Amino acid sequence: MQRLQAKDFGYWLLTKGSHLYLQQEKLPYGTAEELALTAKSGMVIGEYQDAPLWLVEEFDDPREYFSLRDQLVLPERIFNLLNRGVALNYFWKTHRFCGVCGGETVAMTPQEWAVECTDCHHRTYPMIAPSIIVAVRNGDSILLANHARHSQEKIYTTLAGFVEVGETLEQTVEREVFEESSLKIKNIRYIGSQPWSFPNSLMLGFLADYDSGEIRIQKEELNDAGWFRYDSPLPTLPPQGTIARKLIELTQAICAEEAISS
């Protein structure tokens, strides 16, 4: 991080938690002076539309901020770049003091996205929380669930959960599905990943096939879950751009292909 100078220019990423400051639905562009950012701390974290993208250290600000989720319509590279900024600011905000000796830390350069203790010089790097998300198929149907956090929106999506210490990704997939639905699965295969800075996750997407069991939901996590035919009207799904939606649509495509060949 460096003290911003009046003539520093480019696009600017200001965050509050997982929210961004936008001007007319776009990242602000101009000089630090024009945006009243002189003397704030920031660093360049990438390039946006052929100009530097500056991340500004989070500060109290009366401007209007918008959810990072609303930016899923952007190209994947840009959305991931915004995730980088949000996650870095969360990391810096929560690592102002050294975990070894308690001394104050300073944020380093773009070549070292880390904080370093000013006393013992211990370095800590950004923490990423890996989590799995999986679409489970049973013949011509897909398992969809309404999570407790989506109770008002009535969104139905795939199952997900965080990786635990000493656990492989495949073991996490099996465990999360069984814990939340009481189902056993097989044929687990990795599909892709997505940065998900709410506040610092990396979503690792999988497909799997039903093996055995009857649905019994984990009521602390889910409101409802069930099998939905791929070619029937589905409930409200996660928005386009999410890895959850990608997994659902891949499963639909597999079901359709099997229906044609059978």
Side-chain angles (χ1 to χ4, degrees):
M1 284 278 186
Q2 66 187 57
R3 188 72 68 181
L4 297 174
Q5 304 300 310
K7 293 185 178 180
D8 288 334
F9 79 97
Y11 287 91
W12 299 89
L13 180 55
L14 283 67
T15 73
K16 278 188 178 180
S18 296
H19 289 68
L20 323 172
Y21 169 59
L22 302 174
Q23 292 180 333
Q24 297 180 340
E25 301 183 353
K26 295 181 180 180
L27 289 177
Y29 177 81
T31 66
E33 184 176 36
E34 291 168 341
L35 289 157
L37 298 174
T38 305
K40 303 295 184 186
S41 295
M43 69 166 57
V44 175
I45 62 166
E47 187 177 271
Y48 179 72
Q49 295 185 357
D50 299 321
L53 175 62
W54 289 85
L55 174 64
V56 182
E57 189 171 20
E58 189 171 329
F59 63 96
D60 291 334
D61 184 20
R63 292 175 250 220
E64 185 176 7
Y65 284 66
F66 300 85
S67 175
L68 176 62
R69 295 174 191 270
D70 296 336
Q71 309 312 307
L72 282 163
V73 297
L74 294 173
E76 182 179 55
R77 185 185 72 83
I78 302 303
F79 180 72
N80 291 350
L81 184 58
L82 299 180
N83 272 266
R84 175 188 295 171
V86 168
L88 282 174
N89 253 343
Y90 174 78
F91 167 66
W92 290 327
K93 186 170 65 174
T94 56
H95 288 77
R96 296 186 183 278
F97 297 93
C98 177
V100 175
C101 73
E104 290 190 8
T105 63
V106 292
M108 300 175 68
T109 68
Q111 289 73 38
E112 286 283 349
W113 283 328
V115 293
E116 182 172 281
C117 178
T118 55
D119 291 335
C120 73
H121 304 293
H122 174 74
R123 290 185 185 180
T124 303
Y125 290 83
M127 306 298 175
I128 299 172
S131 57
I132 64 87
I133 183 166
V134 55
V136 180
R137 182 176 70 96
N138 183 7
D140 60 5
S141 299
I142 181 173
L143 177 66
L144 296 175
N146 176 234
H147 292 256
R149 62 184 178 275
H150 294 146
S151 57
Q152 292 186 339
E153 305 100 316
K154 300 297 183 185
I155 293 174
Y156 277 68
T157 185
T158 51
L159 301 185
F162 287 101
V163 181
E164 294 186 351
V165 175
E167 195 173 52
T168 68
L169 296 174
E170 293 79 6
Q171 288 171 335
T172 305
V173 173
E174 291 179 331
R175 175 182 56 77
E176 285 291 341
V177 171
F178 186 76
E179 285 180 353
E180 295 189 0
S181 70
S182 299
L183 299 178
K184 292 187 177 181
I185 56 174
K186 59 185 179 182
N187 193 24
I188 299 169
R189 58 263 194 214
Y190 173 73
I191 298 300
S193 61
Q194 182 177 41
W196 199 244
S197 297
F198 300 96
N200 61 341
S201 295
L202 174 65
M203 301 292 289
L204 301 150
F206 292 83
L207 298 182
D209 295 330
Y210 166 81
D211 183 31
S212 62
E214 298 293 331
I215 295 175
R216 294 192 301 275
I217 64 171
Q218 184 181 23
K219 293 184 178 179
E220 296 83 2
E221 295 286 338
L222 306 180
N223 294 318
D224 183 39
W227 297 108
F228 294 81
R229 276 187 59 94
Y230 79 98
D231 55 354
S232 297
L234 296 179
T236 302
L237 299 177
Q240 291 288 348
T242 58
I243 194 167
R245 185 63 173 264
K246 178 181 179 180
L247 295 175
I248 292 169
E249 292 178 349
L250 280 173
T251 303
Q252 288 178 298
I254 293 171
C255 292
E257 185 177 348
E258 287 199 356
I260 292 172
S261 61
S262 62

